[in-house]
Amino acid sequence: MDHLLELLADHDDASVLAGGTDLMVEVNLHGRRPGTVIPVGGLEEMREWNHRPRSNSVTIGAALPYSDMERGPLAELLPALAQAARTVGSPQIRAAGTIGGNLGTCSPAGDILPVLAALDATIHVLHRDHSRDIRFADFMTGVKRNCLTPGEVVHSVTVPLTRGWQGYAKVGTRNAMVISTASACLVHDAEEGHVALALGAVAPTIVRAVKAEAWLSRQVDLRGTFRVSPETAHEFGLRAASETSPITDHRSTAEYRRHAVSVLARRLLERSAS
Amino acid sequence: MSIPNDSLNESYSLNVNGTLREVRDAWLGESLLYVLRERLGLPGAKGACEQGECGSCTVIMDDRAVCSCLVMAASATESRILTVESLGENGRLSDVQQAFLDAGGVQCGFCTPGFIVAVHHLLDQNSDPDDEQIKEALSGNICRCTGYGRILDAVKVAARGRRDGVGS
Amino acid sequence: MSVVTGSSTRFGALGSNANRPDGNAKVQGGFAFSSDMWAENMLWGATMRSPHPHARLLSIDASEAWKIPGVECVVTADDVPGLPNYGLIMQDQPVFARVGDTVRYLGEPILAVAADHPETCRRALAAIKVRYEVLEPVTDPERCIDGSAPPLHPDGNVFRHQRIVSGDQTIIGEIQVEGTYEIGMQDQAFLGLEAALAVPDTGGDGVELYIATQWLHEDRKQIAACLGLPEEKVRLVLGGVGGAFGAREDISLQVHTCLLALRTGRPVRISYSREESFFGHVHRHPATIWMRHHADAQGRILRIESRMVFDGGAYCSTSPAVLINAITHTQGPYKCENATVDGWALRTNNPPCGAMRGFGVVQACFAHESQMDKLAAATGLSPVEVRLRNAMETGDRLITGQIMDSVAPVERCIRETDAIPLPPPMPMDANELLVPGGTGLTALPSNIRRGVGWGVSIKNLMYSEGFDDFSTARCRISNGAVHVKFATAEVGQGFVMLAQQIARSVLGVDDVYLDPIDTQVGSAGSTSASRQTWMSGGAVDAACRAVRDELLDRVATARGLVRQELRIDGTDIVDALTGTRIAVAEVIGDHEIDHTVEYHHPATEDLDENGQGNCHVAFAFVAHRAVVDVDPDLGLVKVVQIATAQDVGRVLNPLSVQGQVEGGIAQGLGLAVMEEIIVTDGKVRNPSFTDYLLPTFLDAPTVDMVLIEEPEPKSPLGAKGVGEPPCVSVTPAIANAIRNAIGRELPRVPVRPYDICL
């Protein structure tokens, strides 16, 4: 790890290579010439995940492949993450691609990112000369932009474990292997009495629907189990969608994206309440 | 490990199908797919999209089925790589290869090697998959000719053979 | 599936599931596709393409590219020694755009380079400076009809304008239904990308080209003309073809690869990337079709009016023939003699369009089958009943005046499809993979609505309008073995297997050797138009019969038997007089026999100015019933089941027919709900498999099929082509099923999520 950080600090043309599923697309299709490539897939500490009962959290190595999140004990701890991981690309992509890659690329359509936003994940960043912990909300700064500075690498991600339902949903125009047209992750914290909702592919960054979250808290007591009326769920969806600023492109229209996240938000809330 | 530079002067070795293979005078940007096909004489993996959206280039790398077009070859020096050419023994067909022929799963054949590798990987993990598990496991392999019906049959034939103790 | 595989069928003969001769190599990864071709001392080629849909090419400066180590050659329009243009029907497409001339679509070739490595090629292209004067693109084909568009080419902006004026033009139906339908631009998206290896002759006066194509001889004709070489100096060998579906009918990299090889004196390979492939071949025509049906109160069609506008893009390709197919199939598989149809195929600055599986009939069928459901609704009949009431039969007069003289089991196709059981409703605890949206977990079964829809179609077989369509095959017995040779492009459909089956059946042998597929024998015509089983199958059959007849002549003479009493049964020659059986294997070692035969189908005619004429050879029919699950709130669709009954004449290889039917259905499904090349201002927005979506395993429906075997008397083997019909009417069947589920008109395909839910 130290050697890696040395290399990263010394080469300003460096790219960190984990699964390769983003970097190699750039090389194959967009004429990118890899400068200094620093493979991290072989670093065991970056491919591990750890449950930390004391802090009631899970720390996930940046080079852990998606397929390792889809099932097994990690999936039981973080079902929304497992659901999101299962929608990434193809099985082959999931066997190679990593959470660090999703964070490094920071596409608004990144499948894992709404989960990190809804769970208030902390990103651990290392540099030869320093380290820092960044809240996801501060990490992603725009379309394919993040706050990493030269020489820094995402080492791992910590997400708190909450008691309560969590779920993820993603819309694409094919029944498998598709880029998100719109996505959403909802996390119910039954102890705090709060619902967090994060929306993907509907703005330059992942959107936390904070106004809709706050509105819901005023309508419904969210401690423990709760119920919502169809009208409340519907309005929750509409309010969440109004916090987005989607675009029209070749994959869909702004109007559809806004509509789709409202439906996803409504359905996720209904699932969390039933 | 660091891989600097930008010209045709990379040299490294890859563990492919159980043999250490030397790669010389390569460009750093070459994918594992390119190196297998153009430098190591292993054309079985096919390229059809260069971005992991078709599965034609599927190989096994450290017991995972991956798209070789998205593996930077020079970064794979520590990995065990298996290609379609490693399947079957002494030129005989593997159970999956035979099942693809028996069930009519081959038309143009361009997607076939990628499918064969992916199906071997699937059945090595789960010899009794149901239809939906088969479809999800193979949802990263595009076939444009068959509509997948004969391929589904082929996988079921091969799986049945393994459960009945026939084949490999 | 009702297919004949009786125990009397000898393994490997006609009617059996014979082994594919290329099967072992394909499953082992050893089959050599054109992209696998390699030669000692080989260079890589690459093409520079226009970044503008319409521009004047001002200058090319390649001086910096020549300075890059490893760059061996740069060729432009100035280096084309023969004809500057090529084309299947109209020679209007430049090999390279010429300085001073215009480029007419985004992706038009400007020049090509050859170098020692693909990356060197990329750098060479990046170093070449090309200047353009950007011009306003013409992207609306209507502007070519109203004359407001400037002429985009010396040959004009109209590839073809054809009317059909048939029968009584004054009929006004008690019931009228009408609609305007749009079909998006679909890509063939074969998996095996365009690739070719050109090897120059020593001395440089000829070239050998290993190429994935649908029609070797037509390629050779066009290549030789552009190279300024006699045809015999250009030899083509079929490189392994990774699917075709129409996209390999036109020239793409053929001339470029040969030019680079001849210039450098070294073998050159060009392999397109997926992105380049989207620019390198023609697509299915986007079309706008208006139709009005006049019917009586009982729902019988009395007259059809239609206007069809096909956007052919920048160059002609096969646009005129596609248009003729579309307008002559306006009526669908239904009785009607009265029609007024106005069809246009036009030039714009959009990507060139041409052949794709279904060839114009796909577009017409989406319109007429959408209309049939409207007619059903207007008359209160079920979708099945309205189609049965109008079902075409042999002997009917078509709107072209042609009499339907093919076997036409339309009613049977519909009834047999209708008899296939519907799938059970989705259970409330269904696996998430069965719900629209799949692993996206967008919906629960309770969110879903089911719909059922119908599509029935007629598809012409083989080439039309007076084209002298033929195929050539050679069969010989030599050194005790049977050899068959043909130039038929094997693109995946399994003709190589069929040829062996025919030879085994006719000659009574088990081993049949296939010679290389190349231009060293006469033309086979194109692997398209559902024609090779009939045409090349007919040629192989005729060549094998000629050999068999001579063999029997000789056996009769040598053994003093009566020739007329000899026939081949299984693997024996049988003398009907004595019952004597002689194994074919026993006698063929004594004879050297060699016959080459051309098979021609019955002649057809051009259409006259009113669209009248016997322009088609034969027809096949198919019915599709689609069951879909729709999420009405999100607009997501999962096709659950396609039931189909197809008129196939005779099943020659059951698994192959099944594979063609299932594969065609998947492509039709793609057009129905996801596949579209999106073009804005002449620019393709989604030239990749990330954004041009093909059906995956999880999108493919269950297919339940009945194959209707009523042998076609005109067909040499009794079989009809089975390749195209499956993808023609499945698209409207799915669209009609979605309409049935949600009650919207949905006038275009692909149906997008927002068409359903917004």
Side-chain angles (χ1 to χ4, degrees), chain C residues 551-605:
Chain C
L551 178 68
L552 294 182
D553 287 350
R554 291 191 190 188
V555 169
T557 307
R559 306 206 177 196
L561 301 171
V562 181
R563 167 65 182 88
Q564 287 70 25
E565 301 298 333
L566 299 185
R567 61 189 173 83
I568 286 179
D569 177 52
T571 56
D572 293 336
I573 298 170
V574 180
D575 178 3
L577 279 181
T578 62
T580 310
R581 298 181 83 89
I582 310 163
V584 173
E586 202 178 291
V587 298
I588 60 169
D590 304 333
H591 302 280
E592 297 280 317
I593 305 173
D594 189 341
H595 285 281
T596 300
V597 178
E598 265 184 19
Y599 174 84
H600 293 249
H601 66 58
T604 58
E605 302 170 352

Side-chain angles (χ1 to χ4, degrees), chain A residues 86 174 251 256 259 267, chain C residues 432 631 633-634 691 694:
Chain A
R86 191 182 178 195
R174 179 161 74 176
R251 290 183 190 139
Y256 176 79
H259 169 78
R267 288 181 178 175
Chain C
E432 62 271 14
D631 180 340
D633 290 338
L634 287 174
D691 285 316
L694 299 168

Side-chain angles (χ1 to χ4, degrees), chain A residues 33 83 86-87 168-176 179 250-251 253 255-256 259-260 263-264 266-267 271, chain C residues 123 432 437 439-443 447 631 633-634 636-637 678 685 690-691 693-694 696 698-699 753 757-758:
Chain A
R33 298 175 193 170
Q83 291 163 2
R86 191 182 178 195
T87 71
Y168 175 85
K170 159 180 158 180
V171 175
T173 39
R174 179 161 74 176
N175 287 299
I179 289 186
H250 56 276
R251 290 183 190 139
T253 66
E255 191 186 6
Y256 176 79
H259 169 78
V263 173
L264 294 183
R266 181 182 86 214
R267 288 181 178 175
R271 289 178 208 171
Chain C
R123 292 178 191 190
E432 62 271 14
T439 58
L441 302 177
T442 48
N447 300 123
D631 180 340
D633 290 338
L634 287 174
L636 303 183
V637 175
I678 299 164
R685 307 276 299 279
T690 300
D691 285 316
L693 298 181
L694 299 168
T696 70
L698 282 166
D699 299 288
C757 68
L758 291 183

Side-chain angles (χ1 to χ4, degrees), chain B residues 102, chain C residues 5 9 11-13 15-19 497 501 652-656:
Chain B
D102 293 344
Chain C
T5 50
T9 305
F11 179 75
S16 78
N17 290 318
N19 290 329
M497 174 170 50
Q501 289 179 264
L652 304 178
N653 184 309
L655 276 177
S656 279

